[in-house]
Amino acid sequence: MRGHNMTVCARMRRDLGLALLLLLSAAVESDGMSPPGKPVFLGCRSPEKETFTCWWEPGSGGGLPTTHRLYYEREKLEGTHECPDYHSAGKNSCFFDKDHTSIWVDYYLTVVASNALGNATSGHFKMDVMEIVKPNAPENVTLQVMKREDNPYLHVRWEHPHNTDTKSGWVTIKYELRVKHRNNNEWKEYTSGTQTQFNLYNINPGEMYVVQVRCRLDHGSWSEWSNSTSVKTFNYPQNDKPFWILVSALSTVPFLTAMCILVIKRKYVKKVLLPPVPGPKIRGIDVQLLKRGRSEDVSNALIINQGFPSVPAWKDEIEDYLIVSDDVLLPDPHRKKKSLTVAAGFHLNLEIQCKESLGQRDWEKAEERKNGIDTFPPQLPTQKQLCPNVTFVHAEATDQRWPIHDAAAESTVQLLAPTGYVDIQRHKSMQEEADGNEMDYTRVNDGNILILQKDKFPGCMDVQRQEENIPEDYSRVKEVDGDNKVLLQRQSFSADSSCGEKGTPYTDCTNKKPINPHVPGPSKVELIGSGYVDTIY
Amino acid sequence: MEPWNEIARKTLKEGDGSQKIQRRQTLGGGVVRGGIVQRCPHQRPARPSLAALGQNALPQHHTRPGTGRVMTPRPSMCHTSSLQTPSDKAQALQISGSDLLSLARSLLQAWVDPLVVLSDSAYTLPHPAHNSISNKIQELQEHSKILGDGLDVLSSKMGPEAQTLSLLPYTGNDIGQDRISKLINFHFLMSCFRRDSHKIDSFLKVLRCRAAKMQPEMC
């Protein structure tokens, strides 16, 4: 019996132990206690072609503290080496500094994970530094809206990643940037080459722009995009525009209206703005006639000129001739004579033509003395004719003799020569005849004689000689009457008291006898110059 | 796993490859001053195409060298590996301009023959994209020629030191018989070429930056 009980107890103890053992082993397994899982290489990267870092991923932990080790072999380098720096680049990484970095040689890397229970090795990872170059993103990206007249643009600036060497040519950095609107999702990319700045011209006002930049070394991998930098562009100054548009539109309408009116009324406007200027026109002169150019006609046209305005005599300068003659052989005023018209300002020798016969002779003689007659040879007296003595009017004008033409009805005359003077001649022989005929020194209005003044006076006047110290040839002026009359003092002379009044024309009596100083009447003589009137032989 | 497909696809990545190939331009003349060429450097191309061509093309190898299923030739077996070149920045910056130029020219010269081999075998490469690959190889040959001529002109102005060339003959005349060998050898040659082109690119850029002292934009 006792033996049977013992067997049952042992069996129970044995079962219990087994159960415990099972339980224990089960417990152990549920904690993950195992050799480490196989680590996996994540990759390596060289930011500047001078150093590089490799990362791995540990495998399943195994529940126990696991250490990882990186071993590498390298071309042209003997032996296996361990990672020089596990910490600089963070967890599960290996950092190779400059001394441990070689380029254009292959590295063979392995990571070994080990824990209490065992090891695990990753596969070999072959790499060459030239293949794993990837720089950091560019730094300090700045955006500015530049205002340039009406075309604003965006100016983007950045710096190279701080750990890259841009001075030796070991690496050459190239940049790219991309832009988008704030609300948009479409990026537009631009290449910047090696420049660290860029201008964006196609921007719209009043929008928010976002810019990013990235770079790469030589022909390696592109870096990550930099952080977004954004800026808002200005709005157009729109307030002014509509106002000015309105102003210009409103002002256009009246302007156009004014232009229309001007165009329609252009003739009137022209008259107002540019009043017609009267051309020079001389009354009585026909321009066409002048153009035709027949000299006779021309001269006639120029001479026959009606209505010369009366010109006040330039007293100081003008010496008018007075026709003096004690020769009564003056043509009858009523006789028709040819009259001469003298235009003012013309230099001429006017000759009086009396009768034709006489005239001819006179003319002849006159012709001999064309230029400024001073003396007159006493030839005429012999003629004893009615012709008055030749009187010459010497004016300043040309020598040209003016043709005389019939002008029966024409009144003519005015002799307005500035220095017209009339010879006074003495004709002794005509003295006797002086009684009879009196020269009528009237205006040529009567058609006879050329006379200086404009008034008419019927008679003549005798010259009065004074007893004083007056040269024989001079007569003293007694007084001046008006504009054109000079009163001369008469000389007493024998017979002629029949000389009429007025007398600018005074006759120089050839009578040498003293003459009574009385004057039959006021005789008017033009006062000219110094009060003396020349008498000229 | 078909790494070769991957290689080809990445090799023919147009965005990188073609643009960069075109950057291999002729060098213009330069003025030699103190052994450093002035004025030319900005015309020097980077050696983009070759370096970038293979950059993404070669996947990471996870096989232990020598232990994988396939016997992957190690890069130390490149025919140009005997040429002593700087292996980091510090060393590279210590080399004189003439030496840098000499190195570049030597490397370039060393690839004339291998490129012919590659060009010949690309056409028959057992790969679906062998035509594109063949085109690319031809481009590479052309650009290499142009660059080589330019460097020759440059070196003639830099003095005798720049004229020295290291001969690096290529002895292989065949990339293999079977498909796998062909692909492997092709790939290997391309990777060697990529590395050497990267070296040439770096050397010339250092030279350019050094020569254009007054123009920081050249660096």
Side-chain angles (χ1 to χ4, degrees):
Chain A
M1 254 333 142
R2 206 187 262 166
H4 185 65
N5 287 344
M6 287 229 351
T7 315
V8 172
C9 283
R11 223 186 294 142
M12 277 187 69
R13 252 181 261 133
R14 199 179 50 213
D15 288 337
L16 202 62
L18 271 168
L20 277 172
L21 207 62
L22 275 169
L23 209 60
L24 199 62
S25 64
V28 167
E29 278 178 6
S30 64
D31 282 348
M33 303 277 246
S34 68
K38 197 174 166 182
V40 175
F41 264 106
L42 292 177
C44 300
R45 176 176 165 223
S46 171
E48 76 286 76
K49 218 164 119 183
E50 298 173 40
T51 66
F52 70 100
T53 308
C54 290
W55 293 271
W56 63 86
E57 177 82 38
S60 51
L64 294 168
T66 316
T67 59
H68 293 85
R69 297 223 160 119
L70 185 142
Y71 298 96
Y72 68 92
E73 289 164 11
R74 201 198 76 182
E75 190 182 334
K76 292 182 187 174
L77 190 66
E78 290 298 325
T80 305
H81 306 270
E82 193 178 346
C83 170
D85 187 341
Y86 286 106
H87 304 290
S88 300
K91 203 170 175 204
N92 296 328
S93 72
C94 180
F95 174 72
F96 293 79
D97 58 5
K98 288 185 188 179
D99 298 328
H100 292 90
T101 305
S102 295
I103 191 170
W104 303 310
V105 288
D106 282 340
Y107 281 79
Y108 301 92
L109 307 169
T110 54
V111 174
V112 175
S114 56
N115 63 5
L117 296 176
N119 297 331
T121 308
S122 68
H124 275 277
F125 187 75
K126 177 166 132 13
M127 51 138 281
D128 190 333
V129 173
M130 70 175 183
E131 302 164 343
I132 57 166
V133 176
K134 178 176 173 180
N136 294 332
E139 296 165 3
N140 276 347
V141 181
T142 58
L143 265 187
Q144 260 183 307
V145 181
M146 308 291 276
K147 262 210 150 175
R148 198 58 60 90
E149 290 158 5
D150 272 333
N151 303 322
Y153 62 93
L154 279 186
H155 182 70
V156 192
R157 247 182 209 282
W158 59 87
E159 291 169 6
H160 68 84
H162 66 275
N163 53 0
T164 53
D165 171 19
T166 54
K167 303 278 198 280
S168 65
W170 181 240
V171 290
T172 305
I173 310 180
K174 289 204 184 114
Y175 300 96
E176 254 184 21
L177 64 141
R178 64 180 186 180
V179 189
K180 78 174 172 91
H181 294 169
R182 161 78 81 187
N183 306 323
N184 219 343
N185 263 338
E186 287 182 18
W187 290 98
K188 193 138 194 322
E189 297 196 358
Y190 301 91
T191 305
S192 168
T194 55
Q195 304 283 338
T196 55
Q197 55 188 351
F198 197 78
N199 290 332
L200 277 166
Y201 291 101
N202 55 341
I203 60 171
N204 302 325
E207 286 228 33
M208 181 79 85
Y209 283 92
V210 182
V211 169
Q212 288 182 327
V213 191
R214 70 175 181 180
C215 62
R216 74 170 171 178
L217 306 180
D218 298 318
H219 302 283
S221 307
W222 283 104
S223 71
E224 296 300 322
W225 287 106
S226 67
N227 287 337
S228 291
T229 313
S230 55
V231 79
K232 191 168 161 77
T233 53
F234 304 124
N235 276 324
Y236 279 138
Q238 284 180 359
N239 299 333
D240 299 349
K241 231 182 176 182
F243 170 71
W244 287 114
I245 291 174
L246 192 65
V247 165
S248 57
L250 282 180
S251 56
T252 313
V253 173
F255 175 71
L256 284 176
T257 315
M259 289 306 294
C260 282
I261 292 176
L262 278 180
V263 167
I264 290 171
K265 300 272 185 195
R266 58 179 176 275
K267 283 188 185 153
Y268 176 72
V269 170
K270 209 170 163 186
K271 203 163 71 165
V272 167
L273 285 180
L274 308 168
V277 176
K281 190 183 177 210
I282 304 174
R283 252 185 291 173
I285 292 197
D286 185 4
V287 177
Q288 302 303 321
L289 179 65
L290 286 179
K291 282 186 188 168
R292 262 182 269 128
R294 283 178 58 199
S295 63
E296 238 184 48
D297 291 343
V298 170
S299 314
N300 288 343
L302 286 172
I303 291 173
I304 305 267
N305 209 331
Q306 307 194 356
F308 273 117
S310 66
V311 173
W314 298 346
K315 294 286 170 27
D316 292 335
E317 299 165 16
I318 297 180
E319 297 176 30
D320 282 345
Y321 268 136
L322 294 179
I323 303 176
V324 175
S325 169
D326 47 10
D327 182 5
V328 295
L329 290 181
L330 295 172
D332 196 329
H334 302 297
R335 268 198 233 158
K336 266 195 187 177
K337 294 293 172 187
K338 295 191 180 174
S339 59
L340 294 173
T341 325
V342 175
F346 282 97
H347 185 113
L348 49 80
N349 292 330
L350 254 194
E351 301 161 15
I352 300 173
Q353 182 177 11
C354 37
K355 284 188 183 173
E356 290 184 356
S357 54
L358 260 182
Q360 287 175 356
R361 243 178 284 168
D362 288 346
W363 279 116
E364 287 162 19
K365 281 156 194 159
E367 280 183 45
E368 295 169 24
R369 295 173 290 272
K370 268 199 181 170
N371 299 324
I373 307 86
D374 289 326
T375 59
F376 186 82
Q379 297 166 5
L380 278 181
T382 58
Q383 293 166 2
K384 295 187 181 182
Q385 296 194 10
L386 290 175
C387 229
N389 298 325
V390 178
T391 61
F392 294 87
V393 175
H394 175 73
E396 259 185 27
T398 62
D399 281 341
Q400 197 168 5
R401 205 188 340 153
W402 289 104
I404 304 166
H405 71 283
D406 290 332
E410 293 205 65
S411 44
T412 69
V413 184
Q414 307 88 336
L415 169 61
L416 297 177
T419 58
Y421 62 94
V422 179
D423 279 6
I424 303 177
Q425 65 186 66
R426 308 174 73 161
H427 302 292
K428 298 175 188 171
S429 58
M430 288 176 106
Q431 180 187 352
E432 308 87 50
E433 299 168 350
D435 301 334
N437 299 337
E438 294 178 5
M439 202 157 125
D440 186 359
Y441 294 93
T442 66
R443 287 165 61 94
V444 179
N445 282 344
D446 286 347
N448 288 348
I449 304 170
L450 142 79
I451 301 183
L452 296 172
Q453 74 286 14
K454 298 129 199 152
D455 285 0
K456 234 170 116 162
F457 15 86
C460 69
M461 195 185 78
D462 292 325
V463 170
Q464 200 173 24
R465 283 202 175 271
Q466 292 195 349
E467 292 164 353
E468 293 115 358
N469 299 331
I470 304 173
E472 262 189 9
D473 298 335
Y474 285 90
S475 313
R476 172 162 300 184
V477 174
K478 187 173 174 185
E479 71 177 75
V480 178
D481 181 10
D483 234 2
N484 48 16
K485 293 178 187 155
V486 168
L487 292 170
L488 292 177
Q489 281 181 347
R490 273 182 179 259
Q491 283 180 350
S492 57
F493 55 91
S494 55
D496 286 348
S497 55
S498 62
C499 282
E501 318 221 329
K502 14 343 194 215
T504 313
Y506 68 97
T507 60
D508 180 17
C509 301
T510 52
N511 193 357
K512 284 197 176 3
K513 300 172 191 166
I515 301 170
N516 291 334
H518 75 279
V519 176
S523 48
K524 303 171 184 184
V525 176
E526 213 165 323
L527 175 63
I528 291 166
S530 57
Y532 285 96
V533 180
D534 261 350
T535 64
I536 300 172
Y537 286 92
Chain B
M1 158 167 135
E2 275 270 281
W4 317 122
N5 277 343
E6 211 173 333
I7 291 167
R9 176 178 59 81
K10 290 180 180 172
T11 305
L12 300 175
K13 195 169 157 191
E14 286 296 324
D16 279 344
S18 60
Q19 275 178 2
K20 287 148 191 183
I21 286 177
Q22 284 162 13
R23 290 210 208 141
R24 302 182 58 188
Q25 294 164 10
T26 317
L27 289 175
V31 175
V32 180
R33 200 195 297 176
I36 300 295
V37 176
Q38 313 277 342
R39 257 201 284 144
C40 302
H42 67 279
Q43 292 174 356
R44 248 179 239 136
R47 282 287 308 255
S49 63
L50 309 178
L53 199 65
Q55 173 156 2
N56 295 320
L58 303 177
Q60 306 300 337
H61 284 259
H62 291 255
T63 56
R64 196 181 183 98
T67 61
R69 268 164 289 174
V70 178
M71 181 61 181
T72 312
R74 300 193 61 158
S76 56
M77 292 158 63
C78 288
H79 69 290
T80 54
S81 58
S82 60
L83 190 63
Q84 288 295 322
T85 54
S87 57
D88 60 28
K89 171 183 166 186
Q91 290 180 16
L93 295 184
Q94 282 171 2
I95 299 180
S96 71
S98 307
D99 289 342
L100 283 174
L101 189 60
S102 174
L103 287 173
R105 289 177 65 224
S106 303
L107 287 171
L108 205 56
Q109 180 63 37
W111 278 98
V112 173
D113 293 336
L115 277 176
V116 172
V117 171
L118 281 173
S119 174
D120 293 340
S121 60
Y123 197 71
T124 58
L125 198 68
H127 193 277
H130 64 275
N131 284 328
S132 312
I133 294 174
S134 178
N135 285 340
K136 274 290 193 269
I137 301 288
Q138 283 183 356
E139 277 186 51
L140 290 179
Q141 281 181 294
E142 286 167 13
H143 291 279
S144 288
K145 174 87 175 40
I146 295 171
L147 184 60
D149 293 343
L151 288 183
D152 289 343
V153 171
L154 204 57
S155 67
S156 66
K157 303 195 178 195
M158 280 182 76
E161 289 176 2
Q163 302 275 7
T164 54
L165 266 185
S166 302
L167 280 180
L168 305 160
Y170 177 68
T171 54
N173 53 0
D174 194 3
I175 62 167
Q177 303 301 327
D178 60 290
R179 180 175 177 272
I180 301 295
S181 301
K182 279 188 179 180
L183 291 171
I184 290 176
N185 289 335
F186 195 93
H187 175 263
F188 173 69
L189 271 178
M190 288 306 297
S191 67
C192 289
F193 184 66
R194 176 177 164 219
R195 175 187 280 187
D196 288 341
S197 65
H198 202 278
K199 282 183 185 175
I200 296 171
D201 182 41
S202 290
F203 297 160
L204 293 180
K205 279 182 176 166
V206 169
L207 201 55
R208 172 177 79 177
C209 179
R210 214 183 270 178
K213 282 177 197 146
M214 303 310 288
Q215 295 166 297
E217 62 268 17
M218 291 297 176
C219 295

